[in-house]
Amino acid sequence: MTDQPLIDLLKKLTLEEKIGQLLQLAAPFFEGTGTDGQITGPMASMGITEDIVKHTGSVLGLSGAKETIAAQQAHMKKNRLGIPLLVMADIIHGYKTIFPVPLAIGCSWDMEAAERSAEIAAAEASAAGVHVTFSPMVDLVRDPRWGRVMETTGEDAYLNGEFARAFVRGYQGKDLKHDLTRLAACVKHFAAYGAGEGGRDYNTVDMSERQMREYYLPAYQAALDEGAELVMTAFNTVDGIPAAGNKRLMRDLLRQEWGFQGVVISDWGAVKEMIPHGVAADEAEAACKAMLAGVDIEMMTTCYENHLKELVESGEIEEALIDEAVLRILQLKQKLGLFDRPFRGADPDRERDIVMSAEHRQAAREIATKSCVLLKNDSVLPLNREQKVAVIGPFAQNGDILGPWSWLGSKDETVQLIDGLKSKTDASRILTAEGSGIETVTEEQLEEALRTARHADVIVLALGEHSDMSGEAGSRADIRLPQAQLKLTARLKAAGKPMVAVLFNGRPLDLHGIYDVADAVLEAWYPGTEGGAAVADLLYGDRNPSGRLTMSFPFAVGQVPVYYNHFNTGRPQGVPDAQVRYVSQYLDIPNEPLYPFGYGLGYTTFGYSNPAISSGVMTVDQPLTVTVHVTNTGSVAGEEVVQLYVRDLSGEVVRPVKELKDFRKIKLQPGETQEVSFQLTEEQLRYHHADLAFASDAGKFSVFVGANSRDVQELEFRLDK
Ligand code: NOJ
């Protein structure tokens, strides 16, 4: 189908109807959604009338096959030309079957796992009538104070790009129009939302364009390359201009330079937020700026609805701009097949059959086992089935392990840690005590916990953050676990039993008081619906932990931002003849993070030997091959993520001390050796120069292979051009 029918349709729309297509409202405004579209209270105070709702182009936060069908039917009857609604929702790490949070999925270094999680999320949500997901969020992050780090895959631009692609493939499949089990993906938050000053949500972002292009933009671009249909603007400023009104960002970069033809949607309220930002005196000015900048859909505020018409009439906005935006929205509706099948995948029977199916739960369990990261293990894990285990702490019997953005996830249908453990051994061997709340503790709780621990052979201490402590608006300045839990940990040490800390949380934490007290630490993140089962699989050694961090764990919050691909400075630590004081360092803590990017343990060990490079010279036509032998030197099979990093030693611009260029996840039997080989090309050495040209520099390079960004072996080569 060409666009002609859509153009004809566009011509039939009045200006008011066109502007209606640009408005997105939340589900309660619509008939058939349980509220039956009764516009009362705060909704009415937004100035939304039934007349406006019937012109509205899209809805957010609506789901359920019956509800979406009813809402669509009612809407199409009321809408003069019967234009179907687009149904959008935050399906971030699962619909009802909840997968680990994206940061945890990142730690799997497993693109198939990421794709599969998105595919299942799409299958469930589309059966429940959703058309578009506000995912993936691919914002690069370096500050664990920011609560939304849980929603991204970490601190590396290359890895984030790979995950962005995998999520988009999983959501969208190959043919959105005919494959009704898929969703259109909306990549967010454009741009650089992850770089808010001080880790405070919604805060100012200011960085050089070079820095932004180098680190922050590649993952959005990767998602678009993979075909993501929508882009959501960020809340923050970019170079002093709020993203939702940032013409350079959206018209010049996104549309013109990258050629993006899909729909741009503002984040919730972000158009109107140009007023408190201080770049618009009123809603009309905000509407004008957002439209000129290229925002097609305004989410949840009514600057467009109330002011675009007058802006067109006064000549400040050309109607052609509105036409373009509407056409893009109609094109998306067409791509999703909504003009032929307005209910699309919504199907109560299919919804009943597949949502939370055994197959989906099994996939969630599998992916959760890949996502946990073993940070420390002084010969305590795996547990053996004969041991008496005291499982203690606020997450021992707690279904709140789904994490933020698990909208329809059900805590009651989530496998708790205690149930996972009991399924592995005779239930009489699993003792339990609450120990503490998440933020509160009493002397009685501590005493009871200690008594319980004394009866056991080993303590499993289930600690973490309440799910409201991360996610949107979940910034924290002190990223240790709450004092109550640190107190519990310290007290239990008196039991003199081996102690395993299992952490359920949404960000890299300052682990003082945990890693130095416990004998083993497993970072389980928020592992999702099957979390307790997956963690038990790992604790008992039925699965060997293989997750590797994609975000550094700081030694202390004062180091933040701390990330592996930093610059060396002119006065690095550790140079032999440097004066001890006058180097770039803290006087009171190390420069290095507690656990670096790429790090994670398992129940076996790996040896790296014979690192080699095919030549000391690379040219544009002559790539190099870097090889290393990896041996499983332990006694059980295990997976290793073999990582390849590069450093440019004579760049025009200073280059990071290491940059991840490639990795392989391999599985080795005990005693088995594999030669892992990477091709390294000139293209992989390119970066943004001072004039923003994307090119490589001739000269000297280091290449590193190893198990993480710290533990590597180094080789050298030269690029001749
Ligand atoms: C605000 C969040 O920033 C965004 O990520 C989300 O998709 C929207 N709200 C819609 O819920």
Side-chain angles (χ1 to χ4, degrees):
M1 183 168 163
T2 67
D3 276 352
Q4 197 50 50
L6 296 184
I7 294 168
D8 294 343
L9 175 59
L10 179 66
K11 282 189 190 142
K12 288 189 200 143
L13 297 178
T14 63
L15 182 56
E16 286 85 346
E17 286 170 332
K18 289 179 193 172
I19 294 168
Q21 287 299 311
L22 312 185
L23 175 64
Q24 174 160 106
L25 292 174
F29 286 102
F30 295 86
E31 200 181 319
T33 59
T35 57
D36 256 358
Q38 294 287 314
I39 299 170
T40 53
M43 295 198 272
S45 71
M46 282 176 68
I48 305 287
T49 61
E50 285 192 23
D51 215 39
I52 290 175
V53 176
K54 72 183 189 209
H55 296 154
T56 299
S58 58
V59 51
L60 88 153
L62 173 62
S63 80
K66 272 201 193 129
E67 292 80 355
T68 48
I69 291 172
Q72 189 72 294
Q73 252 165 352
H75 182 76
M76 289 175 68
K77 249 189 237 153
K78 288 186 189 165
N79 183 279
R80 185 175 67 92
L81 294 165
I83 301 179
L85 275 172
L86 267 171
V87 179
M88 308 199 189
D90 286 292
I91 313 298
I92 308 294
H93 51 113
Y95 175 70
K96 203 157 180 342
T97 305
I98 301 297
F99 292 89
V101 292
L103 185 57
I105 294 183
C107 292
S108 72
W109 294 59
D110 184 332
M111 301 307 148
E112 277 172 30
E115 185 173 336
R116 180 81 183 120
S117 73
E119 185 186 355
I120 291 175
E124 292 192 359
S126 58
V130 177
H131 308 143
V132 174
T133 174
F134 295 129
S135 178
M137 166 169 146
V138 304
D139 304 315
L140 185 132
V141 288
R142 292 173 168 174
D143 193 331
R145 291 172 296 182
W146 192 45
R148 293 194 82 169
V149 301
M150 48 67 54
E151 207 184 333
T152 151
T153 47
E155 72 189 36
D156 184 68
Y158 161 68
L159 206 55
N160 285 357
E162 294 299 295
F163 276 113
R165 289 176 190 278
F167 285 126
V168 172
R169 281 196 300 275
Y171 287 131
Q172 294 196 168
K174 292 198 173 78
D175 179 3
L176 272 178
K177 188 159 188 180
H178 298 103
D179 184 351
L180 305 183
T181 70
R182 304 289 178 151
L183 300 173
C186 175
V187 60
K188 65 191 189 186
H189 304 83
F190 195 66
Y193 180 39
E197 285 177 1
R200 208 177 73 210
D201 208 359
Y202 318 123
N203 205 6
T204 308
V205 170
D206 202 357
M207 66 175 75
S208 68
E209 182 171 350
R210 219 189 50 73
Q211 160 102 335
M212 192 156 93
R213 284 181 182 268
E214 195 58 26
Y215 302 104
Y216 289 84
L217 295 182
Y220 309 110
Q221 203 173 3
L224 298 179
D225 269 1
E226 202 63 44
E229 294 288 347
L230 300 92
V231 170
M232 187 187 291
T233 68
F235 285 121
N236 50 276
T237 54
V238 172
D239 200 11
I241 300 178
N246 199 315
K247 192 163 164 292
R248 270 195 77 200
L249 208 54
M250 286 180 292
R251 294 240 180 243
D252 301 351
L253 179 72
L254 183 64
R255 296 247 183 251
Q256 213 165 312
E257 190 180 322
W258 291 359
F260 177 63
Q261 310 213 333
V263 171
V264 174
I265 182 167
S266 81
D267 202 343
W268 180 297
V271 173
K272 192 169 172 184
E273 285 172 23
M274 278 193 268
I275 301 173
H277 269 298
V279 295
D282 52 29
E283 288 190 12
E285 196 176 352
C288 187
K289 289 198 162 174
M291 182 43 66
L292 292 175
V295 172
D296 299 322
I297 299 181
E298 178 182 1
M299 186 196 292
M300 277 310 281
T301 48
T302 46
C303 305
Y304 279 4
E305 180 59 38
N306 294 335
H307 301 282
L308 274 186
K309 188 163 181 245
E310 78 208 26
L311 288 166
V312 170
E313 285 163 359
S314 69
E316 281 171 86
I317 296 280
E318 284 177 41
E319 190 165 349
L321 271 191
I322 294 176
D323 287 352
E324 274 174 27
V326 175
L327 190 60
R328 281 193 284 266
I329 294 161
L330 296 178
Q331 278 164 338
L332 179 59
K333 292 183 179 188
Q334 179 184 274
K335 268 195 184 170
L336 285 157
L338 293 180
F339 291 109
D340 306 322
R341 292 194 189 96
F343 311 133
R344 204 168 174 269
D347 177 344
D349 293 338
R350 191 172 146 71
E351 182 184 37
R352 202 184 38 248
D353 289 349
I354 68 160
V355 170
M356 290 279 265
S357 68
E359 187 193 340
H360 290 182
R361 293 193 71 132
Q362 181 52 35
R365 179 170 177 172
E366 177 67 24
I367 293 171
T369 60
K370 291 170 183 254
S371 303
C372 299
V373 185
L374 183 63
L375 298 175
K376 174 178 179 181
N377 185 17
D378 285 348
S379 312
V380 198
L381 291 174
L383 303 174
N384 86 51
R385 286 175 159 77
E386 307 306 315
Q387 284 172 311
K388 247 191 194 163
V389 177
V391 53
I392 296 174
F395 286 89
Q397 300 190 59
N398 190 343
D400 185 14
I401 55 171
L402 301 176
W405 296 116
S406 45
W407 181 36
L408 291 174
S410 152
K411 291 176 190 160
D412 298 338
E413 291 168 271
T414 295
V415 182
Q416 301 180 1
L417 181 58
I418 193 163
D419 298 326
L421 296 175
K422 282 185 177 162
S423 74
K424 295 289 180 186
T425 182
D426 190 310
S428 66
R429 293 205 182 89
I430 305 294
L431 317 176
T432 189
E434 206 177 16
S436 77
I438 291 174
E439 295 186 272
T440 57
V441 66
T442 62
E443 193 49 38
E444 291 69 45
Q445 282 176 314
L446 292 173
E447 280 307 310
E448 191 211 347
L450 195 56
R451 269 197 308 276
T452 308
R454 287 195 163 118
H455 286 112
D457 302 311
V458 59
I459 305 165
V460 170
L461 194 48
L463 306 174
E465 294 177 299
H466 189 280
S467 52
D468 284 348
M469 291 167 94
S470 61
E472 187 177 351
S475 295
R476 292 178 65 208
D478 179 352
I479 54 172
R480 287 173 301 173
L481 283 178
Q483 282 302 322
Q485 298 182 55
L486 297 179
K487 213 165 167 182
L488 171 65
T489 310
R491 180 67 68 90
L492 283 177
K493 198 64 187 166
K497 302 291 166 83
M499 192 193 287
V500 178
V502 180
L503 308 175
F504 297 91
N505 56 285
R507 58 159 58 76
L509 296 163
D510 170 347
L511 288 179
H512 281 91
I514 305 294
Y515 91 98
D516 40 357
V517 180
D519 302 285
V521 181
L522 181 73
E523 177 52 81
W525 306 111
Y526 289 116
T529 303
E530 287 287 324
V535 170
D537 286 341
L538 295 169
L539 293 180
Y540 278 94
D542 294 338
R543 296 295 304 269
N544 191 346
S546 62
R548 302 289 183 260
L549 297 178
T550 57
M551 198 178 170
S552 309
F553 270 55
F555 184 89
V557 73
Q559 285 180 323
V560 168
V562 59
Y563 49 94
Y564 86 95
N565 48 351
H566 58 85
F567 288 173
N568 202 34
T569 79
R571 292 191 175 193
Q573 277 186 317
V575 177
D577 58 355
Q579 283 191 51
V580 175
R581 184 178 178 95
Y582 296 100
V583 294
S584 180
Q585 64 184 352
Y586 296 104
L587 296 176
D588 50 349
I589 54 167
N591 281 8
E592 290 70 37
L594 181 63
Y595 296 115
F597 176 85
Y599 172 86
L601 305 171
Y603 298 147
T604 187
T605 44
F606 295 95
Y608 284 70
S609 59
N610 303 331
I613 190 161
S614 55
S615 162
V617 181
M618 176 197 275
T619 65
V620 173
D621 309 319
Q622 191 51 61
L624 299 177
T625 306
V626 180
T627 51
V628 65
H629 291 154
V630 184
T631 305
N632 181 342
T633 49
S635 53
V636 292
E639 285 178 286
E640 173 73 332
V641 180
V642 184
Q643 300 164 36
L644 180 86
Y645 297 89
V646 158
R647 180 175 179 197
D648 183 341
L649 290 149
S650 52
E652 179 210 76
V653 174
V654 175
R655 302 301 300 147
V657 292
K658 287 190 190 89
E659 283 178 87
L660 183 73
K661 291 293 169 186
D662 207 348
F663 64 91
R664 297 265 188 292
K665 194 164 182 180
I666 58 170
K667 183 165 187 181
L668 295 178
Q669 297 302 318
E672 188 184 351
T673 297
Q674 188 176 318
E675 181 180 86
V676 177
S677 133
F678 299 99
Q679 228 201 23
L680 192 61
T681 65
E682 178 271 337
E683 218 181 319
Q684 286 169 286
L685 306 180
R686 295 183 194 169
Y687 68 93
H688 292 91
H689 282 60
D691 63 357
L692 301 181
F694 192 64
S696 60
D697 291 316
K700 197 172 160 192
F701 287 80
S702 288
V703 58
F704 311 85
V705 279
N708 59 63
S709 61
R710 181 189 63 200
D711 303 318
V712 288
Q713 308 198 29
E714 183 174 356
L715 301 159
E716 284 184 358
F717 69 93
R718 212 180 61 234
L719 173 66
D720 279 357
K721 286 175 79 178

